[in-house]
Amino acid sequence: MASLADRKAYREKIMRALYEATEGNRLLGITGAKLLQELAIPQEDLAAACTYLVGEGLITVDWAAGNTPPMITLTHQGQHRCV
């Protein structure tokens, strides 16, 4: 598992990448596989970061089997945090 500083950096990278990929549109999303590829975050750390961000009300995640979410979207609150 990543250090506290790494986990915080992963969460920030995910939020930035999600906002940029969707142009702030909360009706659009990005796949977890794409985030893994683009951000080079370990799979278990991506799952942990997404779980944290869901708990903060910043993103929604469609979970499936495994640790890589099929779809991640911003919430209204997440949009405003990125701006």
Side-chain angles (χ1 to χ4, degrees):
M1 198 63 150
S3 70
L4 180 59
D6 287 341
R7 290 193 308 261
K8 183 176 179 182
Y10 292 156
R11 293 190 299 259
E12 290 172 359
K13 284 181 178 182
I14 290 166
M15 290 298 293
R16 190 175 322 110
L18 185 55
Y19 188 81
E20 290 173 2
T22 63
E23 297 179 350
N25 185 339
R26 68 181 194 194
L27 299 177
L28 301 175
I30 189 170
T31 66
K34 184 168 177 127
L35 285 177
L36 283 173
Q37 179 184 358
E38 289 182 2
L39 303 178
I41 296 174
Q43 186 178 26
E44 63 275 1
D45 292 326
L46 175 67
C50 286
T51 300
Y52 179 91
L53 293 168
V54 166
E56 293 295 307
L58 301 175
I59 65 171
T60 58
V61 175
D62 296 332
W63 291 105
N67 288 329
T68 304
M71 187 59 61
I72 305 164
T73 56
L74 286 170
T75 63
H76 184 71
Q77 184 178 351
Q79 282 178 305
H80 290 288
R81 182 164 182 230
C82 291
V83 177

